[in-house]
Amino acid sequence: MSSIELILTEAEFLTQQCPKPSNSVLEQAIDGSLTGIVTYIKLTNGEYQTLSRFEEDVWVFPASKGTKASKASGLKLNFATISDVQMKRMAKWVTWNKMKESLAINSLKSTLSDLKNYFHWVLSTDTAAGHGLTAFTSNAYVKFVNTLTTNRKGEIKPLTQATKFLKFFSLEELYRHCKAFDFVKEHPWSESSANKLAGLVGEAFREARTKSKTPIIPDEVLRPLCQFTKSYLDREDKILASAKQQESLLLRDSCIFWLLLTTGMRIHEVLAIKRDAYRSETRDDTTFYYIETVSEKTHTGLSEWIAPEIATKAIDILGRLSTPLQEQLERDLVKAQTSSDHAEVHRLEEISCHICLSKSPKKGNQINLLSGDAITESRLPNLCKQIGSDWNLSTHQFRRTFANYAVHSELGDLRALKDHFKHWSITMTALYAFNDDLDAELFEELLREKYLVEEEIKQDWFELDTPITGGELAQKIMQVREDGELIKAFGSHIAMVKAFTSSIPIRSVGIGWCTNDDECKCGKPDSCESGIVDKRHAPYWTGMLVQQMKLMRLGVSDIGEAGIENVRKGMERCEMVLTALGFDVEAMKREINEREQIEVVNV
């Protein structure tokens, strides 16, 4: 009888469950006599169904241990490909101990993969195979890893520092858990660490922790994607009534697009959303929506995400699309319960009432959750094809794009999607910081993105070819950035910039930046001692110039002498700022006049 067929009472289960680590258990792991249940399902009647045992070469995990984006193959750990008996025992022992540390299935798979790669190298290297884990053989492995490359989108590149770290860290884990095995002789590098050997120290370590390598979806891709997908949400009734397969798929993909874009969720969190899983509350005449789902990345349990109204509309549409699939799921659930197929009952109960259901023709039209891999590898790229773009769109790009837009909202540059991001600002992170039900990692992502955006803005100020204007601080920056001796003193231009900008606060006042520690409300960044204006604000000053020119045409009879004087001062102010930013103001004024004359003729 295979373990997956074995149903146990609670008493039987407790006697057969793999015990907690002890010396005697370790000895059994070393000699291969250790047995016991490692994965299981607890049934509603209090009994247990065994899924896998320690002595088996394949450990199967229940659906509840994976994320909603996990495929069936992603819920298995396969030790059978490790040919050496002792190495297989060590791999199981390390994995089992890390299971007791509550590592997620994906982390366990990563650990096992790195161990397998190391063991494969050992078996292919005569010296290492004969000596086992020593400082000497570990040094040889480091040199080997440093020669490895990877193919990223057709381009051959060396392994990243993070990838190297994980490979080296697996040796440290092997030493930590398997010191009693004959293979393990000594610490792989007693006077170093996986971080140091991978180069993740100092500035590199800081950047790895703070700077995301995930690209932000560029505006020229995001705008047409938003227009295309929004058009599907606007035609939901017509598309659902037509029941055309292709149109329905694009409607579904469009809904997922908007959930990813406007919430900052990961794909498995979107897939975990259930029907009607949102609420609303109103503060200061602004309505906030909260979507409830499950985050497996940070912890198992319900969490909430703040969202705009369009995200709730996407949930409602996905609920309507999944209704026929939910009805079939309920019929399949009854069949599974009748036939006592406990594993199938558990699987179906785990996905029941979710809005991202799908049907698998290759598995007899079995009802499943949508695959996270399929969305990233197929469905999202297909959206790009629909708009004629070759951008390699993937789910992980949305989280950083979301954070970037939230930060730009606070910094006065909404760029696009103003209607849907109008309530977002970095001050909203207070809701994340003080609410345990909200995604703490997204809060950290927002702060990290805020740091990166502010750093980029400040570094621009110190570039010689970047025109800026403003008060005393702006003048000081222009003096400093031309001081060659000062740059030499700091060692590099970048070091000098970081030294000067690290303590400068920054917030937007719409037409410029305010660097005052207190909340200055003068609204004159072009003349205030703490104010700076750069080219990011040129459109606002251009718009004000146009307004002043229109007011000037009204004349004394309309706005009076005082009004004319105020307009003249306003024009002079706009002209001064735009000139300082490198614009030919007289040419701009001629262009504005010509454009308005054309508009008058057309009217």
Side-chain angles (χ1 to χ4, degrees), residues 9 37 124 135 214 230 315 326 341 420 486 488 508 597:
T9 64
I37 300 168
S124 65
T214 300
K230 182 65 164 53
I315 290 175
Q326 177 63 29
D341 187 344
H420 301 302
L486 194 58
K488 290 179 182 179
S508 173
Q597 288 174 4

Side-chain angles (χ1 to χ4, degrees), residues 177-198:
H177 294 292
C178 298
K179 282 184 265 188
F181 284 79
D182 289 340
F183 178 83
V184 178
K185 311 296 185 184
E186 58 186 352
H187 193 285
W189 29 74
S190 58
E191 297 183 0
S192 188
S193 67
N195 277 73
K196 290 181 181 179
L197 292 167

Side-chain angles (χ1 to χ4, degrees), residues 3 6 8 16 35-39 50-59 92:
S3 60
L6 191 60
L8 304 171
Q16 295 188 39
T35 62
I37 300 168
V38 290
T39 61
T50 303
L51 295 183
S52 50
R53 300 175 62 88
F54 189 92
E55 62 267 28
E56 295 173 335
D57 280 352
V58 178
W59 294 358
K92 286 186 177 181

Side-chain angles (χ1 to χ4, degrees), residues 476-536:
K476 182 178 180 181
I477 288 174
M478 286 188 283
Q479 291 173 4
V480 167
R481 68 188 188 182
E482 296 178 354
D483 192 333
E485 292 302 316
L486 194 58
I487 295 174
K488 290 179 182 179
F490 280 98
S492 69
H493 182 268
I494 293 177
M496 182 193 73
V497 171
K498 288 184 177 180
F500 273 92
T501 62
S502 60
S503 61
I504 298 178
I506 178 175
R507 61 185 178 83
S508 173
V509 291
I511 58 174
W513 306 113
C514 178
T515 64
N516 198 311
D517 285 330
D518 300 322
E519 189 173 343
C520 175
K521 297 181 179 180
C522 71
K524 297 181 179 180
D526 52 313
S527 56
C528 175
E529 63 179 13
S530 301
I532 296 177
V533 181
D534 61 32
K535 277 201 170 183
R536 291 175 177 83

Side-chain angles (χ1 to χ4, degrees), residues 29 37 53 136 138 154 174 194 235 262 266 272 293 377 422 424-425 445 483 490 497 553 559 568 598:
I37 300 168
R53 300 175 62 88
F136 173 76
S138 298
L174 190 63
R235 294 183 289 119
T262 63
R266 305 172 186 86
T293 182
E377 296 169 7
K422 62 187 177 185
W424 262 108
S425 72
E445 184 75 28
D483 192 333
F490 280 98
V497 171
R553 295 192 191 99
I559 60 177
R568 185 177 292 108
I598 292 173

Side-chain angles (χ1 to χ4, degrees), residues 373-575:
D373 289 343
I375 292 171
T376 287
E377 296 169 7
S378 175
R379 301 311 307 172
L380 290 178
N382 180 62
L383 288 178
C384 285
K385 289 180 182 177
Q386 299 297 319
I387 63 167
S389 171
D390 60 357
W391 178 258
N392 188 27
L393 185 64
S394 59
T395 55
H396 63 279
Q397 295 170 11
F398 285 89
R399 191 170 174 87
R400 185 172 178 217
T401 301
F402 168 84
N404 188 266
Y405 269 101
V407 170
H408 276 91
S409 174
E410 171 68 9
L411 295 178
D413 176 17
L414 291 175
R415 300 191 297 174
L417 310 179
K418 289 186 179 180
D419 289 340
H420 301 302
F421 282 89
K422 62 187 177 185
H423 71 273
W424 262 108
S425 72
I426 204 64
T427 55
M428 289 286 289
T429 57
L431 293 174
Y432 282 92
F434 299 108
N435 189 333
D436 291 337
D437 292 331
L438 298 176
D439 185 1
E441 278 200 1
L442 183 56
F443 165 58
E444 294 173 1
E445 184 75 28
L446 287 164
L447 293 181
R448 180 164 52 247
E449 195 66 30
K450 183 175 188 287
Y451 165 78
L452 292 173
V453 171
E454 287 184 353
E455 185 179 52
E456 179 184 348
I457 292 168
K458 293 174 186 177
Q459 286 181 352
D460 280 351
W461 294 345
F462 282 82
E463 295 295 332
L464 282 173
D465 58 351
T466 301
I468 62 172
T469 188
E472 183 180 328
L473 181 61
Q475 303 307 314
K476 182 178 180 181
I477 288 174
M478 286 188 283
Q479 291 173 4
V480 167
R481 68 188 188 182
E482 296 178 354
D483 192 333
E485 292 302 316
L486 194 58
I487 295 174
K488 290 179 182 179
F490 280 98
S492 69
H493 182 268
I494 293 177
M496 182 193 73
V497 171
K498 288 184 177 180
F500 273 92
T501 62
S502 60
S503 61
I504 298 178
I506 178 175
R507 61 185 178 83
S508 173
V509 291
I511 58 174
W513 306 113
C514 178
T515 64
N516 198 311
D517 285 330
D518 300 322
E519 189 173 343
C520 175
K521 297 181 179 180
C522 71
K524 297 181 179 180
D526 52 313
S527 56
C528 175
E529 63 179 13
S530 301
I532 296 177
V533 181
D534 61 32
K535 277 201 170 183
R536 291 175 177 83
H537 306 104
Y540 303 104
W541 289 93
T542 302
M544 288 194 293
L545 178 64
V546 172
Q547 291 175 343
Q548 300 302 315
M549 291 174 66
K550 288 182 177 179
L551 288 171
M552 185 62 77
R553 295 192 191 99
L554 293 177
V556 175
S557 59
D558 293 310
I559 60 177
E561 289 288 350
I564 289 292
E565 182 59 25
N566 286 333
V567 171
R568 185 177 292 108
K569 289 180 180 179
M571 283 190 64
E572 290 176 356
R573 182 186 177 198
C574 293
E575 291 172 2

Side-chain angles (χ1 to χ4, degrees), residues 6 102 166 259 280 292 323 370 378 438 489 592:
L6 191 60
S102 300
L166 292 174
L259 283 169
S280 64
E292 182 182 85
T323 295
L370 283 169
S378 175
L438 298 176
I592 292 169

